[in-house]
Amino acid sequence: MKKTVPALCASGLAMLALAGCNNGSSGDSPNEPVASNPNILFVIMDDVGIDQMKIFGYGGEMWPILPNINAVAQAGVRFRNTWSMPECSPGRAAMFVGQYPLRTGINQAIGPQDLATSQLSPYSVTAPKLLKRAGYESAMFGKFHLGGPENNEAENSTPSVLGWDYFYGWIGGLPGSNDKTVGGYDKAGTRMCGFIPGERLAGGAKSGACYQADGSCTVMTRTSLDQDVAGVQCIASGGLLVPNETCGEMPSYLDFNIQNAYYVSPLVIIENGATEIVALSDPRARGYRTSIETDAAINWINSRPDDKPWMATVSYSAAHTPWQQPPKKLVPLAPSGVSPLDELSCTSDGERGALDQRIIQDRMTEALDTEFGRLLVETGMAKYNKDGSLDYNPQATNTVIVIVGDNGSLAAAVKLPFDPSRAKGTAYQTGVWDPLIIAGPQVVQPDREVDHMVNMVDLFQFFGELAGLDAHKEVPHTIDSVGILPYLTDPGQGSLRTINFTMGGLNQQANGGRNGPCVMSTACTVIPTSKSVCEDNQGIYWGAGYDDASVIPTNPPGAGYATCADVNEARYKADPQQSQLTLVPESSVAIRNEHYKLVVNTSVDYDPTTDGPKEFSSEELYTVNQAAPVPLLDTADRNLLPTTDPELEAIRKDLRDKLNAMLASNPPCPGDGNLDGVVNAADLNNWRQIAQDWGLSSVYDFPTPQYADGKTDSKDEAVILANLNKACARTYTLR
């Protein structure tokens, strides 16, 4: 299925957007490329916080083993004090537009119910749009998760509208759940890892008939424990295994249209203005995701002309849940004494469940490292030594390599001494402290560390610096970036930031909706975007469809609960009464200076004293640092508040004042949908086109009076008319 992207340029969606359709006001017409402009390889790891990276001095454990990333880190600069946002979509948006969530509206991972106002705007100046002004071509491979396909006029073509010339990956971003039926073979759905296990486990098989979607078949078997079991061999090849059988007529029950975590995924390819939605039965959509992402990047990079600079974003899905075993060939350094990959549990149940999952997650990160090394070698950026180690010389190519994590680690994967109770989804250190590695010919005195504060929004300006562009002058609206190129060229460079900032919260859904509550152990959260995501993270979904009469029934059955406050109310009123759950904050923001960090958490919970919902807020102050191997973290026992110390109170007040100023630095500008800072005829024209051609969620769906309704209609026109000719000042951002 193909959709031609240029047709979108006729609609209001891209009418004045700084997107793929050239426009006199967009300013993104390419200049002649500058010969010295470096290529940019941008690698994003998913849910890999700094606690996973022993090269930064932390982890407390041997694994994961990452020799290829380490080789690049030792040839470049390691930034040891970098914050992102608490979740993936706001963290990634920060990198690509240089703005905090308070400006993008992307406060948490984008889900299928989130409106266009909580997705990257088609009028945003993204990194590929910025670089296009210096003659760059841009491509992305792997996870997108910045907008669409739901509630977005561009749907699966969103990467093109946001400026990428080429895309090969997954728009929604998250891998599907493990296919416990393995393509329909196991109708009871008992294959928790999404493949037929080996003969050493109950119900496993040493061999079987591996069928492909075209009806072809190969008998696969495992002859040694060094090999993958036949079930993994088969799904890695794109097939479905019928265990203990030889090839014959393909069974009619085999279904090649079921997603299977990292092995069957909804691939989208955008090239030359056309969007292709690849069927799940297509061989291109089948195979191990990390390898598919790497192969696509290699092919595109190797096809680039020598006289045109490029930026390739390899946005790996790993090591996000669902945790699923990679092919063994990608983890050659797996330590001895650890259970073979195919024998590890994919659930947290049982004596070894949680430990097995942590091992699988480590192996997935190691597989990412293996494929990253192959990416460098097969594009000529590095070579292998005789012992298999990576020989990377940043002076040998005109390419800058940037490696980051998008947010902190998931609680179940956190490495000590970091705090798993304050991990991904919170503004605490374990949730937002991420690895950042930069290597390239610009680096003076490689293999060094920078302890100064850096934020992922700074990457946007850094990409501009590499292309000779001043992002603050090029972008017509406020960006929060600080240039970090001086850290590469001057080993003595002092701190370029006085504060660091991070925030997470709720995205905007129609009429004030939100994600359903997900109960994980003794906590309740609305971070998971759906029931399946909740369950993939070992949670119990209490939203629509919940009906566990053995715990607390709903009336009517299956109605579920809308919020975590509702869950706690039901538990409080249950007979017998049940303990109240801790709420993962609905809003979590933090600001820090060189030594102190202020965290403010807010949630709405059930209050038994008033028998209703009540907003609860906490303010916490900590000393933090980057000491290795045991840093000062913002753990519950180290909160300095409340305090009677006047010096600490002065520090708290200073940080709180700066936090308030930051949160107030993006005043509303009702009617200005195209981010140009003025409500005028262009907004009316844009609204008219969108209302006529689409009519659903867009950046011209304004809250009236409180919530957006997911429609672009006459109510939104009234907002524009009421504010016509009003200008919105470009706001100041504290850095």
Side-chain angles (χ1 to χ4, degrees):
M1 177 180 178
K2 291 190 177 182
K3 180 177 181 179
T4 303
V5 175
L8 294 169
C9 298
S11 77
L13 177 68
M15 194 170 190
L16 289 177
L18 300 170
C21 312
N22 274 339
N23 178 302
S25 64
S26 72
D28 64 351
S29 299
N31 301 319
E32 288 299 317
V34 179
S36 61
N37 282 355
N39 302 317
I40 304 169
L41 175 62
F42 184 31
V43 176
I44 306 174
M45 304 177 291
D46 202 324
D47 285 2
V48 178
I50 202 168
D51 62 294
Q52 306 289 322
M53 308 285 290
K54 203 161 184 66
I55 190 71
F56 285 87
Y58 308 114
E61 300 179 25
M62 179 178 178
W63 309 300
I65 302 170
L66 309 173
N68 298 316
I69 291 175
N70 291 351
V72 174
Q74 290 164 346
V77 175
R78 299 182 291 282
F79 292 84
R80 298 186 61 256
N81 190 2
T82 304
W83 276 9
S84 186
M85 304 303 129
E87 295 185 53
C88 49
S89 296
R92 291 162 186 261
M95 302 170 193
F96 287 114
V97 298
Q99 294 180 304
Y100 296 132
L102 59 93
R103 305 187 204 288
T104 64
I106 306 174
N107 296 303
Q108 65 183 143
I110 297 171
Q113 304 304 317
D114 294 339
L115 299 180
T117 46
S118 284
Q119 304 178 29
L120 268 191
S121 167
Y123 302 97
S124 291
V125 180
T126 60
K129 293 178 188 178
L130 178 69
L131 293 178
K132 194 179 296 291
R133 301 174 188 182
Y136 278 74
E137 291 182 293
S138 296
M140 180 185 283
F141 311 92
K143 175 177 175 176
F144 186 62
H145 216 186
L146 295 169
E150 298 90 1
N151 295 310
N152 192 308
E153 186 180 3
E155 298 178 332
N156 283 293
S157 299
T158 305
S160 180
V161 171
L162 292 177
W164 276 274
D165 300 299
Y166 183 81
F167 178 79
Y168 197 105
W170 337 103
I171 301 297
L174 302 182
S177 301
N178 292 346
D179 176 18
K180 299 170 187 176
T181 73
V182 195
Y185 167 77
D186 181 359
K187 291 182 173 57
T190 64
R191 311 296 176 168
M192 304 304 292
C193 292
F195 61 86
I196 305 295
E199 69 276 12
R200 290 155 64 103
L201 296 181
K206 182 177 182 178
S207 64
C210 179
Y211 290 93
Q212 303 293 330
D214 63 2
S216 61
C217 178
T218 304
V219 173
M220 292 189 171
T221 188
R222 178 169 69 168
T223 58
S224 75
L225 292 180
D226 292 332
Q227 290 180 294
D228 285 311
V229 296
V232 173
Q233 291 182 46
C234 186
I235 60 169
S237 74
L240 295 172
L241 190 77
V242 179
N244 303 313
E245 296 287 343
T246 57
C247 293
E249 183 177 351
M250 185 168 68
S252 60
Y253 59 74
L254 290 184
D255 187 349
F256 288 85
N257 293 296
I258 303 175
Q259 291 189 46
N260 185 8
Y262 279 77
Y263 287 97
V264 184
S265 304
L267 178 65
V268 173
I269 304 172
I270 302 176
E271 183 176 17
N272 296 327
T275 299
E276 180 181 6
I277 303 171
V278 178
L280 292 175
S281 58
D282 190 302
R284 293 172 295 173
R286 310 179 70 85
Y288 191 58
R289 262 203 194 209
T290 303
S291 297
I292 292 174
E293 293 158 349
T294 303
D295 287 341
I298 291 170
N299 291 338
W300 186 82
I301 291 171
N302 284 339
S303 69
R304 295 306 90 208
D306 292 336
D307 61 349
K308 193 173 183 66
W310 51 260
M311 178 179 178
T313 298
V314 186
S315 180
Y316 284 116
S317 303
H320 198 287
T321 55
W323 291 332
Q324 188 179 41
Q325 292 88 331
K328 285 184 178 179
K329 68 179 182 179
L330 300 183
V331 284
L333 297 177
S336 60
V338 174
S339 299
L341 276 169
D342 49 279
E343 296 180 24
L344 298 175
S345 170
C346 290
T347 76
S348 58
D349 301 332
E351 184 178 347
R352 285 188 52 87
L355 175 60
D356 281 3
Q357 284 195 309
R358 290 174 67 88
I359 294 171
I360 293 174
Q361 191 261 1
D362 284 342
R363 301 295 88 84
M364 292 172 67
T365 309
E366 291 171 348
L368 181 159
D369 180 79
T370 298
E371 291 294 68
F372 168 69
R374 181 170 70 88
L375 169 65
L376 297 188
V377 171
E378 294 192 13
T379 56
M381 298 182 213
K383 59 184 178 181
Y384 291 124
N385 294 313
K386 290 183 178 179
D387 62 0
S389 61
L390 193 71
D391 180 1
Y392 168 66
N393 176 9
Q395 302 298 325
T397 67
N398 188 30
T399 301
V400 175
I401 300 176
V402 181
I403 305 171
V404 302
D406 63 346
N407 48 248
S409 298
L410 187 69
V414 168
K415 304 286 194 296
L416 296 176
F418 287 75
D419 188 350
S421 70
R422 298 184 162 203
K424 176 185 175 180
T426 75
Y428 296 109
Q429 291 293 84
T430 307
V432 301
W433 189 4
D434 288 283
L436 169 59
I437 297 165
I438 302 179
Q442 296 80 0
V443 173
V444 174
Q445 192 179 316
D447 195 15
R448 58 183 168 90
E449 298 178 333
V450 170
D451 276 336
H452 301 308
M453 290 181 286
V454 174
N455 195 287
M456 288 302 179
V457 296
D458 299 338
L459 289 177
F460 179 76
Q461 186 165 340
F462 174 65
F463 296 144
E465 288 177 311
L466 293 176
L469 300 171
D470 184 339
H472 285 274
K473 293 181 179 179
E474 295 286 337
V475 178
H477 41 261
T478 300
I479 61 173
D480 300 296
S481 302
V482 171
I484 57 176
L485 181 60
Y487 291 130
L488 304 187
T489 59
D490 180 5
Q493 175 64 52
S495 180
L496 297 170
R497 277 189 168 275
T498 61
I499 60 100
N500 214 344
F501 174 78
T502 187
M503 68 175 291
L506 301 179
N507 282 346
Q508 191 169 69
Q509 298 183 4
N511 303 311
R514 63 179 66 194
N515 298 334
C518 177
V519 176
M520 299 181 180
S521 184
T522 60
C524 185
T525 178
V526 292
I527 291 175
T529 58
S530 66
K531 181 176 186 291
S532 62
V533 174
C534 172
E535 294 173 345
D536 286 342
N537 287 275
Q538 309 308 317
I540 299 173
Y541 190 69
W542 285 57
Y546 165 86
D547 186 32
D548 191 344
S550 65
V551 181
I552 301 175
T554 60
N555 186 19
Y561 298 92
T563 69
C564 286
D566 293 336
V567 173
N568 267 343
E569 179 180 2
R571 293 173 67 91
Y572 181 81
K573 295 179 177 179
D575 186 16
Q577 187 180 86
Q578 297 190 17
S579 61
Q580 299 290 276
L581 300 168
T582 301
L583 269 57
V584 175
E586 294 175 354
S587 169
S588 188
V589 300
I591 194 167
R592 69 164 291 185
N593 57 28
E594 187 177 356
H595 301 294
Y596 289 90
K597 176 178 181 179
L598 185 73
V599 181
V600 178
N601 294 321
T602 305
S603 287
V604 175
D605 200 357
Y606 173 69
D607 182 9
T609 61
T610 61
D611 190 27
K614 179 180 177 181
E615 183 175 278
F616 294 87
S617 184
S618 68
E619 187 175 283
E620 304 160 16
L621 182 69
Y622 301 92
T623 53
V624 291
N625 66 21
Q626 294 70 246
V630 182
L632 288 180
L633 296 171
D634 42 7
T635 52
D637 60 315
R638 299 194 62 254
N639 181 16
L640 300 172
L641 299 181
T643 180
T644 58
D645 184 327
E647 184 177 350
L648 284 179
E649 172 56 22
I651 293 168
R652 182 208 66 79
K653 184 178 185 305
D654 177 67
L655 287 174
R656 185 63 201 235
D657 288 346
K658 289 175 178 175
L659 178 62
N660 291 342
M662 180 67 75
L663 294 174
S665 69
N666 196 59
C669 188
D672 176 29
N674 62 0
L675 304 178
D676 66 355
V678 63
V679 183
N680 57 17
D683 292 298
L684 273 177
N685 290 334
N686 292 345
W687 169 84
R688 189 172 294 112
Q689 289 290 335
I690 295 171
Q692 175 182 324
D693 297 342
W694 174 246
L696 302 178
S697 176
S698 79
V699 293
Y700 280 91
D701 176 19
F702 303 111
T704 53
Q706 184 177 5
Y707 300 122
D709 59 8
K711 299 177 182 178
T712 304
D713 55 21
S714 59
K715 294 193 296 294
D716 305 302
E717 180 189 29
V719 174
I720 299 172
L721 292 172
N723 293 279
L724 205 59
N725 299 319
K726 288 185 180 179
C728 306
R730 180 167 175 159
T731 55
Y732 166 76
T733 179
L734 180 66
R735 296 188 289 272

